[in-house]
């Protein structure tokens, strides 16, 4: 089962390492980052084929300085392998090479249809050699010893030419990119891009009609040693979009192609669109209206006072009052239309004219004046002060982050960075303010400096509030290592991560993104059985960007062994196949004791009621009609998996204590043991027993007993790390598996949890005595099977009563 | 093309702000604001804007007087002045022309159209 719930699996560790690495890249990027000429060189992938170590090193250093992604290899054969496996934007090729020489390799590659520019490097400088090299398919030729500046310029020229661009300046609508100066502008406005954003944009602009998946972008923009995860690409795309939007370019200039990747939005569509700055301007103007609403009301009040004065002084106003009223009416007439209140402008103009008439006003005019002022007031009130949320809504809601920290400088940095991640940040200084803030706005993630809480209890109370929120709000802590240092403790508090200070805002935001991503993403194995080879080719690239791991099978006779080998979370079946049809396969699966719950989606060209009824009768979960529309299939898959996840939870979890039931827990614990063995990690098992449950049930009532069990299950669950498991082992026993924790540490931790239970219990059921026993053992020292471990833990437990 | 600089003289702050947003975000022009005729005269001389948007009806020194003073100053007399006015009757228009203003822009204006309007009457290319 690889469907991710809010609790991530172990792969996050790998991920973390990656994202930190990536953070490092980014931050070094941002050091050199600024507008225009200072931006690093375009990030293109170059393969250097050179057997002479010093030359290879010199080239690598030079090319790295120019921000190219460089890989080196020392012989022609290895070079051919690499070129066939990966995409390069340029080859720097020595002529004299072991195994296969440069000229031969060049010829080979051209014969194989590789079109990337090739630059030959050689010590042989006569014209004949140059001619042979060029005839072999090289694009240029540099004689050793070479001038570095010249080489660099030639590489640039080749990279331009290699993509068949006659003009060195790339253009897409109003967007311009000049590779020689590395300047990017939209409608003459310069964009301050980081080197990675620049490289990304250059790649898209050089291949304007091509769709790039995250994976392809990773391959183009990073070297293999420091390739981050796909979320890095999404982050850079986000940053780029933001900067484009800041330059009044349409933010969707870089278009997401649903389920596939990114490309430049086709020019025709770009031109047809109304520019997005209109919306932004309208929002900005709405904001002015809101800020000056009080002033505008004041102007209307001046008119109301004039109206009263006309009535009380028989159509007369004194000079001052008259002048002020006329001034206000005039301003309103000139201004309300700007805010879109044209009726208001019209009314104000009429009021102005009435004020301009010779006095005294007749009774009729006074009545008219009064009526118009009243209508004006209503018109303005109907337009209302635009609330900030309205303006936000018009721009689409952004994910929100609540930061609890008193360090103003740090917050300013973070807020600044968050802009490029499309996060809205709300900041509060302490937990009281955070409590208040939560009653108004619910953020998606909370980021908290562990130092803002006066004591642990305060932190706990706060966490209680947010983890009981539906949906629970993930909390990330950061702070000094000595504050909340233990991973267990953070997990126990319900925190999703703990980041040690000092830490860069960028790094924190990456972590925020990760946590959010985790709580949303689904990773599931999908197996597709279909005899149509084109469909089997089409579906994996469609589904993989969504986190599905896809296995395909064309020959349904191999179904069973493939199913067992793949162990999918979801099955997609074609109805009509040679040998064994989809309906038969469906029946086989439904009749199998182990697999009968596997969700099955049918792909079919037959959408008539009869067929549909038949497949549902056989136990299909859903069907999607052929030809397959990508987005529809994705939505169906996600829905199916989410529902399955829910029913799995219902099936696996004990409703009273929210701990795992014993059977599913056995499977989990077996996995944990295997994992501990594979990774040579410790694994601890803790047995917690409510020893006097029977007496409690007898002396008080079953409900009291239940409430105690609920309390214990809940507290243990809260104190559990993301990889750990808590199971209700028997009516009064809980068994916990704590991955990667020594038994000493585990005992200490669980002991604390039990004390927390007792304390909470004392508050709610002071009259009911409760006794908890605790036994902790370590795998494999105390036993290699679950039953052996349980027995050992039970032995260890005897007499180890936890006291409050 | 260097960004144009526009001086806006209007006693109402929210009108200044709307003009500013319209011109700065849509066209990247630089906007200098003044809340009275007197301030307008000072800023016109100091900033030498490419054009002045002048409100007609202001307390103390009105638009007409401000315009005359701008004309009297050799430093500012060549700067084109556009009247920003809610008085758009024919009689008013004639009076403004007689004064020698470049042209008038009627209030209320559509903020999104304002830059185009200004560029049109001044023959600027956007």
């Amino acid at each position: 089962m690889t469907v991710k719930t809010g609790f991530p699996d172990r792969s996050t560790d790998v991920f973390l390492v990656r994202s930190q690495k990536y953070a490092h890249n980014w931050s070094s990027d941002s050091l050199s980052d600024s507008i225009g000429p200072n931006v690093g060189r375009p990030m293109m992938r170059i393969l250097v084929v050179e057997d002479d170590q010093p030359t290879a090193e010199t080239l690598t250093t030079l090319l790295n300085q120019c921000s190219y992604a460089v890989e080196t290899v020392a012989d022609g054969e290895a070079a051919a392998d690499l070129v066939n496996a990966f995409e390069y934007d340029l080859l720097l090729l020595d002529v004299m090479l072991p195994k296969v020489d440069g000229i031969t390799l060049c010829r080979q590659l051209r014969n194989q249809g590789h079109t990337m520019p090739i630059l030959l490097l050689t010590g042989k400088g006569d014209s004949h050699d140059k001619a042979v090299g060029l005839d072999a398919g090289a694009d240029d030729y540099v004689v050793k010893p070479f001038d570095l500046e010249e080489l660099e310029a030639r590489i640039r020229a080749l990279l331009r030419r290699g993509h068949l661009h006659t003009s060195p300046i790339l253009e897409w609508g109003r967007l311009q990119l000049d590779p020689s100066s590395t300047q990017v502008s939209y409608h003459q406005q310069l964009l301050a891009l980081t080197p990675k954003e620049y490289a990304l944009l250059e790649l898209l602009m050089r291949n304007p009609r091509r769709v790039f998946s995250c994976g392809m972008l990773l391959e183009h923009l990073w070297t293999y040693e420091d390739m981050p995860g796909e979320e890095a690409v999404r982050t850079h795309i986000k940053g780029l979009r933001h900067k484009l939007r800041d330059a009044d370019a349409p933010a969707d200039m870089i278009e997401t192609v649903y389920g596939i990747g990114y490309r430049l939005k086709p020019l025709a569509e770009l031109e047809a669109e109304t520019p997005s700055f209109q919306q932004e301007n309208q929002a900005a103007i709405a904001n002015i209206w809101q800020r000056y609403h009080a002033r505008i009301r004041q102007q209307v009040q001046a008119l109301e006072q004039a109206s009263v004065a006309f009535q009380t002084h028989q159509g007369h106003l004194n000079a001052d009052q008259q002048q002020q009223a006329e001034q206000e009416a005039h301003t309103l007439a000139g201004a309300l239309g700007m805010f879109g209140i044209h009726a208001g402008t019209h009314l104000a103009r009429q009021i102005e004219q009435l004020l301009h008439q010779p006095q005294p006003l007749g009774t009729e005019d006074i009545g008219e004046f009064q009526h118009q002022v009243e209508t004006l007031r209503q018109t303005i009130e109907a337009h209302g002060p635009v609330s900030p949320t309205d303006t936000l809504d018009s721009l689409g809601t952004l994910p929100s982050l609540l930061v609890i920290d008193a360090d103003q400088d740090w917050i300013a940095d973070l807020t600044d960075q968050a802009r490029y991640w499309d996060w809205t940040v709300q900041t509060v200084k302490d937990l009281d303010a955070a409590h208040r803030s939560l009653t108004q706005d619910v953020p998606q993630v909370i980021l908290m400096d562990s130092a803002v809480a006066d004591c642990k209890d305060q932190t706990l109370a706060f966490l209680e509030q947010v983890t009981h929120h539906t949906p629970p709000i993930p909390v990330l802590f950061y702070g000094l290592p000595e504050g909340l240092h233990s991973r267990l403790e953070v997990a126990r508090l319900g925190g999703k991560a703990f980041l040690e200070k000092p830490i860069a805002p960028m790094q924190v935001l990456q972590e925020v993104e990760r946590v959010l991503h985790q709580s949303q993403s689904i990773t599931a194995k999908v197996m597709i059985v279909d005899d149509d080879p084109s469909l089997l080719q089409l579906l994996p690239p469609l589904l993989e960007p969504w986190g599905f791991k896809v296995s395909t099978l064309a020959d349904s006779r191999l179904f069973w062994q493939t199913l067992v080998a793949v162990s999918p979370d979801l099955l997609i079946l074609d109805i009509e196949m040679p040998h064994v049809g989809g309906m038969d396969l469906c029946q086989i699966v439904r009749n199998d004791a182990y697999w009968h719950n596997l969700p099955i989606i049918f792909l079919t060209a037959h959408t008539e009621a009869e067929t549909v009824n038949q497949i549902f009768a056989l136990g299909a979960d859903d069907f999607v009609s052929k030809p397959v529309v990508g987005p529809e299939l994705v939505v169906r898959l996600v829905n199916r998996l989410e529902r399955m996840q829910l029913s799995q939870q219902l099936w696996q979890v004990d409703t009273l204590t929210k701990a795992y039931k014993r059977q599913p827990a056995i499977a989990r614990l077996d996995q944990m043991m295997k994992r501990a063995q594979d990774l040579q990690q410790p694994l601890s098992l803790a047995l917690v027993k409510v020893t006097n449950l029977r007496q409690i049930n007898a002396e008080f009532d079953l409900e009291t007993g239940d409430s105690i069990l609920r309390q214990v299950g809940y507290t243990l669950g809260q104190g559990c790390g993301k990889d750990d498991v808590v199971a209700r082992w028997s009516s009064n026993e809980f068994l916990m598996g704590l991955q990667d924790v020594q038994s000493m540490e585990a005992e200490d931790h669980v002991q604390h949890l039990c004390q927390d239970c007792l304390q909470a219990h004392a508050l709610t059921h002071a009259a009911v005595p409760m006794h908890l026993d605790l036994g902790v053992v370590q795998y494999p020292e105390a036993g290699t099977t679950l039953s052996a471990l349980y027995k050992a833990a039970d032995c260890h437990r005897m007499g180890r009563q936890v006291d409050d | 093309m260097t960004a144009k600089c526009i001086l806006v003289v209007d006693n109402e702050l929210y009108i200044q702000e709307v003009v500013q947003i319209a011109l700065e975000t849509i066209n990247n022009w630089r906007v200098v604001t003044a809340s009275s005729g007197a301030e307008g005269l000072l800023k016109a001389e100091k900033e030498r804007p490419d054009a002045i948007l002048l409100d007609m009806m202001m307390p103390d020194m009105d638009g007409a007087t401000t315009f005359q003073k701008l004309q009297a100053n050799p430093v500012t007399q060549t700067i084109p002045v556009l009247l920003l006015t809610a008085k758009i009757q024919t009689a008013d228009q004639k009076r403004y022309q007689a004064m020698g203003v470049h042209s008038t822009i009627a209030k209320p204006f559509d903020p999104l159209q304002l830059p185009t309007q200004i560029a049109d009457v001044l023959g600027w290319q956007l």
Side-chain angles (χ1 to χ4, degrees):
Chain A
M1 182 66 222
T2 51
V3 173
K4 273 191 198 168
T5 63
F7 304 96
D9 59 26
R10 273 277 156 173
S11 63
T12 37
D13 290 349
V14 179
F15 190 104
L16 249 177
V17 173
R18 279 183 167 178
S19 64
Q20 272 160 7
K21 203 170 209 180
Y22 155 60
H24 169 72
N25 275 353
W26 179 302
S27 49
S28 63
D29 279 356
S30 19
L31 283 178
S32 60
D33 130 22
S34 69
I35 301 181
N38 298 332
V39 170
R41 296 289 175 203
M43 179 62 82
M44 308 286 269
R45 298 175 49 78
I46 296 182
L47 179 66
V48 175
V49 193
E50 171 66 75
D51 59 330
D52 178 38
Q53 191 65 24
T55 312
E57 275 179 22
T58 313
L59 284 171
T60 311
T61 314
L62 168 77
L63 297 174
N64 275 335
Q65 272 168 6
C66 304
S67 290
Y68 294 115
V70 185
E71 284 174 74
T72 53
V73 68
D75 70 73
E77 215 171 71
D81 288 345
L82 277 178
V83 170
N84 283 319
F86 308 115
E87 278 197 58
Y88 293 95
D89 295 294
L90 184 130
L91 245 60
L92 268 183
L93 194 56
D94 190 10
V95 170
M96 301 290 284
L97 285 171
K99 294 186 186 170
V100 180
D101 72 272
I103 305 275
T104 312
L105 177 62
C106 193
R107 208 171 283 133
Q108 258 177 24
L109 293 176
R110 291 304 182 219
N111 286 342
Q112 289 167 354
H114 290 285
T115 55
M116 85 287 278
I118 298 178
L119 181 70
L120 283 179
L121 295 173
T122 181
K124 296 199 267 179
D126 65 64
S127 298
H128 175 71
D129 286 329
K130 288 179 191 167
V132 171
L134 294 171
D135 282 345
D139 297 277
D140 205 349
Y141 202 98
V142 172
V143 180
K144 292 179 187 172
F146 42 79
D147 177 71
L148 293 181
E149 195 185 347
E150 186 196 345
L151 181 69
E152 200 190 313
R154 282 184 185 274
I155 287 173
R156 260 204 313 275
L158 280 180
L159 287 172
R160 277 205 299 271
R161 227 186 299 158
H163 296 275
L164 300 176
H165 274 281
T166 44
S167 156
I169 293 180
L170 307 173
E171 281 184 53
W172 196 248
R174 289 172 159 187
L175 187 64
Q176 282 200 336
L177 183 146
D178 182 354
S180 63
S181 63
T182 65
Q183 281 196 352
V184 177
S185 62
Y186 184 83
H187 202 208
Q188 283 141 7
Q189 194 178 334
L190 275 181
L191 268 64
L193 301 185
T194 65
K196 275 286 186 289
E197 288 165 350
Y198 176 90
L200 191 58
L201 190 61
E202 185 183 21
L203 186 66
L204 293 173
M205 288 184 78
R206 284 193 190 278
N207 305 276
R209 266 169 292 276
R210 196 167 148 194
V211 181
F212 287 90
S213 69
C214 281
M216 283 152 83
L217 292 173
L218 283 171
E219 282 200 9
H220 276 280
L221 304 182
W222 277 271
T223 56
Y224 294 97
E225 296 97 66
D226 55 30
M227 199 176 283
E230 292 189 352
E231 70 293 336
V233 171
R234 286 189 275 273
T235 305
H236 287 293
I237 293 268
K238 228 181 220 186
L240 196 49
R241 281 181 174 159
H242 211 104
K243 287 175 186 176
L244 283 167
R245 201 166 63 192
D246 280 353
D248 295 337
D252 62 346
M253 188 132 198
I254 297 170
E255 197 178 40
T256 304
V257 182
Y258 202 70
I260 305 177
Y262 303 98
R263 68 163 172 191
L264 288 180
K265 197 180 182 86
L267 275 183
E269 287 177 39
L270 271 181
E271 278 155 14
E273 270 176 12
T274 42
S276 68
F277 66 71
Q278 278 211 353
Q279 285 176 358
E280 294 203 7
N281 268 292
Q282 271 152 5
I285 288 164
N287 181 282
I288 296 176
W289 170 257
Q290 193 204 346
R291 281 189 292 121
Y292 284 97
H293 197 248
R295 162 75 188 133
I296 287 157
R297 283 179 55 163
Q298 193 190 335
Q299 290 178 310
V300 176
Q301 271 165 13
L303 298 178
E304 285 173 330
Q305 281 159 10
S307 174
V308 173
F310 272 134
Q311 283 169 337
T312 48
H313 300 105
Q314 289 84 42
H316 281 285
L317 285 185
N318 68 41
D320 278 355
Q321 226 173 3
Q322 201 276 339
Q323 202 202 347
Q324 202 211 338
E326 196 177 338
Q327 171 78 39
E328 306 295 27
H330 182 83
T331 309
L332 287 172
L336 292 173
M338 283 187 328
F339 298 108
I341 315 170
H342 299 287
T345 279
H346 184 70
L347 284 163
R349 199 166 276 153
Q350 286 178 330
I351 293 167
E352 186 188 358
Q353 274 163 14
L354 279 169
L355 283 165
H356 215 66
Q357 280 182 20
Q359 293 181 5
L361 290 189
T363 330
E364 213 172 282
D365 281 343
I366 295 173
E368 178 69 18
F369 188 89
Q370 189 192 3
H371 174 70
Q372 280 171 348
V373 171
E374 176 60 20
T375 319
L376 178 66
R377 191 179 62 79
Q378 285 168 2
T379 308
I380 288 173
E381 273 172 16
H383 197 68
V386 186
S387 76
T389 47
D390 290 346
T391 351
L392 260 184
D393 281 348
S394 69
L395 293 171
T397 38
L398 299 170
S400 56
L401 174 65
L402 175 67
V403 185
I404 313 169
D405 193 339
D407 180 349
Q408 290 305 314
D409 290 342
W410 196 85
I411 285 181
D413 281 355
L414 183 84
T415 317
D416 204 35
Q417 291 282 3
R419 225 162 59 85
Y420 291 107
W421 294 62
D422 270 351
W423 283 89
T424 54
V425 179
Q426 210 197 337
T427 55
V428 289
K429 280 186 198 155
D430 52 42
L431 286 177
D432 286 343
H435 276 293
R436 277 197 302 278
S437 165
L438 284 171
T439 57
Q440 290 156 6
D441 269 322
V442 180
Q444 275 160 300
V445 181
I446 296 174
L447 190 60
M448 174 173 167
D449 184 344
S450 54
V452 298
D454 296 333
C455 59
K456 205 158 80 180
D457 286 350
Q458 207 189 0
T459 313
L460 268 173
F462 180 70
L463 279 164
E464 183 95 354
Q465 184 189 5
V466 296
T467 47
H468 278 82
H469 203 277
T470 352
I473 313 165
V475 185
L476 275 85
F477 287 93
Y478 59 94
L480 296 172
E482 63 265 29
L484 281 161
H485 61 286
S486 153
R487 276 177 54 182
L488 273 174
E489 192 150 1
V490 171
R492 176 172 167 237
L493 293 174
K496 288 286 175 198
F498 185 79
L499 310 163
E500 283 183 9
K501 273 187 169 178
I503 186 164
M506 180 64 73
Q507 230 171 319
V508 174
L509 287 166
Q510 266 161 5
E511 199 60 13
V512 168
E513 190 95 341
R514 182 182 72 82
V515 164
L516 190 77
H517 188 68
Q518 241 165 31
S519 57
Q520 291 169 342
S521 78
I522 281 183
T523 318
K525 281 188 278 182
V526 174
M527 178 172 151
I528 307 171
V529 191
D530 199 310
D531 62 317
D532 177 3
S534 62
L535 190 91
L536 293 187
Q537 275 198 325
L538 170 81
L539 289 183
L542 197 69
L543 298 177
E544 274 157 7
W546 291 85
F548 294 110
K549 212 168 154 254
V550 184
S551 311
T552 58
L553 176 66
D555 186 349
S556 56
R557 284 173 297 180
L558 302 173
F559 176 74
W560 200 256
Q561 49 268 55
T562 316
L563 178 77
V564 174
V566 170
S567 178
D569 300 306
L570 189 142
L571 193 57
I572 297 180
L573 296 175
D574 187 13
I575 290 195
E576 281 178 339
M577 285 183 287
H579 313 299
V580 192
M583 294 201 193
D584 293 333
L585 295 178
C586 180
Q587 237 169 334
I588 296 171
V589 172
R590 287 291 175 254
N591 288 334
D592 184 79
Y594 184 77
W595 290 105
H596 69 277
N597 268 328
L598 183 66
I600 297 177
I601 295 182
F602 270 91
L603 277 185
T604 173
H606 303 283
T607 51
E608 61 275 5
E610 202 189 328
T611 317
V612 173
N613 284 339
Q614 206 183 341
I615 59 173
F616 279 118
L618 286 172
D621 295 281
D622 203 353
F623 81 95
V624 176
S625 56
K626 280 184 180 178
V628 174
V629 182
E632 187 195 346
L633 183 63
V634 170
V635 169
R636 298 273 182 106
L637 289 183
V638 172
N639 280 348
R640 182 56 46 199
L641 287 165
E642 277 173 355
R643 237 182 281 174
M644 183 180 77
Q645 203 179 318
L646 200 68
S647 65
Q648 288 270 359
Q649 275 171 3
L650 288 177
W651 175 72
Q652 291 185 328
V653 172
D654 174 46
T655 41
L656 176 68
T657 61
K658 302 285 180 258
Y660 272 90
K661 292 180 187 171
R662 190 157 86 175
Q663 282 306 324
I666 289 174
R668 288 271 324 248
L669 288 165
D670 280 339
Q671 279 172 6
M672 287 171 86
M673 279 162 27
K674 189 168 180 316
R675 195 188 166 81
Q677 196 179 10
D678 290 349
L679 299 178
Q680 295 288 306
Q681 278 177 349
L683 166 66
S684 295
L685 274 101
L687 182 65
V688 176
K689 187 169 186 171
V690 186
T691 48
N692 61 337
L693 184 72
R694 196 177 293 189
Q695 292 98 300
I696 294 172
N697 283 339
E699 282 174 38
F700 298 89
D701 51 21
L702 288 173
E703 271 168 37
T704 311
D706 281 355
S707 105
I708 284 170
L709 288 170
R710 193 182 296 126
Q711 176 88 57
V712 176
Y714 174 78
T715 312
L716 296 181
Q718 290 296 300
C720 212
K722 47 194 175 186
D723 301 314
D724 307 335
V725 67
V726 179
R728 188 171 173 198
W729 207 248
S730 68
S731 65
N732 61 342
E733 283 176 321
F734 292 86
L735 190 64
M736 294 175 82
L738 299 155
Q739 190 99 51
D740 199 10
V741 181
Q742 306 273 0
S743 58
M744 295 270 282
E745 198 186 344
E747 180 159 358
D748 191 41
H749 175 59
V750 180
Q751 184 127 27
H752 275 106
L753 292 177
C754 291
Q755 279 161 353
D756 287 352
C757 288
L758 290 169
Q759 274 173 12
H761 173 77
L763 288 174
T764 47
H765 297 96
V768 185
M770 172 166 103
H771 303 301
L772 289 178
D773 270 8
L774 167 66
V776 181
V777 291
Q778 188 168 327
Y779 167 89
E781 288 77 0
T784 49
T785 64
L786 212 45
S787 60
L789 287 165
Y790 169 76
K791 278 180 197 152
D794 201 32
C795 265
H796 188 254
R797 178 186 64 79
M798 298 300 179
R800 285 177 184 257
Q801 191 171 343
V802 183
D803 297 316
D804 186 7
Chain B
M1 186 183 77
T2 52
K4 301 286 186 192
C5 172
I6 310 280
L7 170 66
V8 182
V9 189
D10 197 311
N11 62 305
E12 204 61 60
L13 288 179
Y14 57 80
I15 293 179
Q16 288 180 13
E17 282 203 34
V18 173
V19 172
Q20 189 157 10
I21 290 227
L23 301 188
E24 284 184 351
T25 61
I26 299 177
N27 265 5
N28 253 334
W29 289 346
R30 191 163 70 88
V31 174
V32 178
T33 57
S35 300
S36 68
E39 193 187 344
L41 293 176
L42 284 173
K43 291 214 168 150
E45 195 173 321
K46 183 166 160 264
E47 303 280 343
R48 315 274 180 95
D50 296 291
I52 298 171
L53 290 184
L54 181 61
D55 181 30
M56 217 34 212
M57 196 159 168
M58 291 185 291
D60 305 325
M61 188 195 295
D62 69 3
T65 317
T66 311
F67 176 70
Q68 280 156 8
K69 296 203 171 180
L70 283 169
Q71 290 293 296
N73 182 344
V75 179
T76 55
Q77 67 184 177
T78 53
I79 304 173
V81 174
L82 311 185
L83 285 187
L84 206 52
T85 173
K87 280 192 191 297
I88 39 154
Q89 279 141 8
T90 329
D92 298 320
Q93 295 275 16
K94 281 188 181 150
R95 190 162 63 87
Y96 302 146
Q97 270 172 18
M99 276 162 54
V101 297
H102 192 287
S103 52
T104 56
I105 287 179
K107 274 187 184 177
F109 52 85
D110 176 352
L112 296 176
Q113 294 303 319
L114 184 65
T116 323
Q117 257 176 303
I118 295 173
D120 279 353
V121 297
L122 291 171
W124 292 349
Q125 286 200 327
L126 281 184

